[in-house]
Amino acid sequence: MTDLRKTSTAVILTACLLASGCSGGDEPEPAGDKAKEAVPHGYVEGAQESAEQQSRLVMADAATGTVRVLDLITEDTTTLGAVGPVEGVTADDRFAYLATGAGTEIVDGGAWTVDHGDHVHYYRTKIRRAGRVGSTGPVRAHSDPVVTALSSGDGSVRLLDREALEDARPGAGRVLPGATAPVVPYREHLIVPGAAGDRVEIRARDGRPVSSLNETCSEPRGTALTRRGVVLGCADGALLISEGGGAFTARKIPYGTSVAPAERAVEFRHRAGSTTLAARAGRNAAWILDVTGSRWKRIETGPVTAVNTAGEGTPLLALGADGHLSAYDPATGRRTSRTPLLSRTSGGPVPVIEVDTGRAYVNDPAGRAVYEIDFKDRLRRARTFSLDFTPSHMVETGR
């Protein structure tokens, strides 16, 4: 295979871990007869540093709970056994969170990116199961170097200690009182929508209220973490929350027109850190949200089951109900490419589109396969990964 991955220098805000040795200063040699070898710049204990991004796909069979992880560099597949029927899957930079009837199973994808602003480090380590948390129902997860906020379908939000999670001992976590919508750790605080009606609260990591924003967000649903800040999906558009000099501010990005409740953006899809977001607009269209330009654009796709985009300069990708994958110019809304991909639907969870800087990945539950798509080359199918189980759910880690 050629041109499988490219080193990414994109800012990936959700993938930062605590790392040492980035000050650039010289450290004095330790006392003793023999000085220890200097710690390499960007070192993370127990992990192997790599020269390129280490993307992996965590897949689960909805019915049997079989979980497998596909390494997109080596093409090796790791089997992690069964966790019971899976209702939904989400991920942060490193971990996948699988909602089952018995709780949330956590899988360590074993790959992540550490961003230092002017450069990045890529790491890989052992793929493994990392524990279970008692939250039930489909989940959303957002993380920073210290805490993971796990927002569950039952309305609860649990805060997990990131260091303990990395050691595969997440424990029960701490329930965040008064939180019912997805919570996002950001700039050493927590963004908590819906805790006080339409208000958005800023809390300390221990859950203590710090302030509330002047702008409101009614019926908060979707969330995204971008280079510009945290984006919340609201009934009348989006709310962009940013921080500067210790102060949090919010700016509304309205739809600019009346939007029926069924056609609002309630789940954002995007490349990690990107400021261009995609969302379904009901059953027959899609939204593109340009966070930097504060603009929404509705694209008429026809019946659509999944959307995503890799960001500025790349197309909107839309998987039609007929199994065809299409690319649209986000500026004009014109379809630029279309290719048949899925032969039929399985009647279970709908497929998803995962994206990174150069490739997109679509799971085919009925065909027991995952397709790698070069969206810069007229949706060329670059690789097909044939599987011996049903990949009902899929998320990408390591970005």
Side-chain angles (χ1 to χ4, degrees):
M1 304 293 175
T2 60
D3 188 29
L4 299 183
R5 319 294 313 157
K6 293 182 179 180
T7 301
S8 169
T9 56
V11 177
I12 305 178
L13 294 178
T14 57
C16 294
L17 299 175
L18 292 177
S20 59
C22 290
S23 64
D26 294 332
E27 296 291 337
E29 292 187 357
D33 296 333
K34 185 178 181 180
K36 295 182 180 179
E37 184 179 349
V39 175
H41 177 62
Y43 173 74
V44 173
E45 185 176 1
Q48 174 186 350
E49 185 166 6
S50 302
E52 57 187 347
Q53 185 173 303
Q54 303 294 299
S55 295
R56 292 169 175 175
L57 299 177
V58 180
M59 303 167 290
D61 185 322
T64 67
T66 298
V67 179
R68 293 184 183 169
V69 182
L70 172 62
D71 189 316
L72 293 170
I73 301 294
T74 66
E75 301 188 7
D76 294 332
T77 300
T78 301
T79 300
L80 296 179
V83 299
V86 178
E87 302 170 5
V89 180
T90 192
D92 55 24
D93 57 312
R94 174 174 173 176
F95 296 91
Y97 305 85
L98 292 73
T100 74
T104 299
E105 293 282 345
I106 306 175
V107 171
D108 186 347
W112 65 96
T113 301
V114 177
D115 173 59
H116 293 294
D118 59 345
H119 67 285
V120 294
H121 299 276
Y122 305 105
Y123 290 99
R124 59 187 295 129
T125 189
K126 182 180 179 181
I127 297 167
R128 60 178 175 173
R129 289 168 67 170
R132 174 187 288 182
V133 179
S135 302
T136 59
V139 296
R140 291 288 180 269
H142 292 283
S143 301
D144 71 6
V146 175
V147 65
T148 292
L150 196 62
S151 306
S152 303
D154 60 10
S156 67
V157 177
R158 292 176 183 267
L159 302 179
L160 307 180
D161 180 87
R162 187 72 177 187
E163 183 176 356
L165 183 56
E166 292 164 4
D167 290 337
R169 46 179 185 86
R174 294 184 291 111
V175 175
L176 185 64
T180 57
V183 170
V184 184
Y186 178 63
R187 299 295 176 95
E188 302 182 5
H189 289 77
L190 304 174
I191 308 299
V192 185
D198 294 345
R199 287 288 189 186
V200 179
E201 290 186 347
I202 307 299
R203 298 191 188 182
R205 283 181 175 141
D206 61 7
R208 174 177 47 85
V210 174
S211 63
S212 62
L213 301 174
N214 291 331
E215 291 281 1
T216 60
C217 180
S218 61
E219 302 176 27
R221 297 287 295 276
T223 55
L225 183 60
T226 77
R227 292 191 302 272
R228 298 286 180 177
V230 174
V231 176
L232 303 179
C234 313
D236 56 353
L239 187 67
L240 173 63
I241 302 166
S242 56
E243 182 271 344
F248 289 83
T249 59
R251 175 166 52 88
K252 186 63 68 70
I253 307 176
Y255 284 117
T257 186
S258 177
V259 175
E263 297 185 345
R264 295 172 185 164
V266 297
E267 182 181 4
F268 294 112
R269 303 283 294 171
H270 66 125
R271 177 176 54 81
S274 171
T275 57
T276 303
L277 313 181
R280 291 174 60 199
R283 296 181 178 180
N284 299 306
W287 291 109
I288 285 286
L289 173 58
D290 176 357
V291 176
T292 301
S294 299
R295 294 186 299 268
W296 290 91
K297 184 172 182 61
R298 179 186 169 98
I299 296 180
E300 302 298 333
T301 59
V304 63
T305 60
V307 297
N308 212 330
T309 179
E312 184 178 0
T314 66
L316 167 73
L317 302 177
L319 182 65
D322 60 359
H324 285 68
L325 182 67
S326 297
Y328 293 85
D329 184 326
T332 66
R334 183 177 64 88
R335 186 167 64 192
T336 57
S337 300
R338 185 172 186 261
T339 185
L341 197 61
L342 308 186
S343 59
R344 59 189 175 91
T345 59
S346 63
V350 297
V352 297
I353 305 171
E354 292 287 334
V355 295
D356 53 33
T357 55
R359 294 288 191 266
Y361 300 91
V362 181
N363 59 317
D364 182 358
R368 289 192 161 191
V370 171
Y371 307 116
E372 180 183 73
I373 304 298
D374 185 349
F375 52 78
K376 297 180 180 179
D377 188 15
R378 300 187 61 81
L379 303 181
R380 177 178 61 87
R381 190 183 300 186
R383 289 187 288 181
T384 296
F385 300 99
S386 298
L387 307 169
D388 61 358
F389 80 114
T390 302
S392 313
H393 301 282
M394 182 182 76
V395 290
E396 185 176 358
T397 62
R399 296 175 295 180

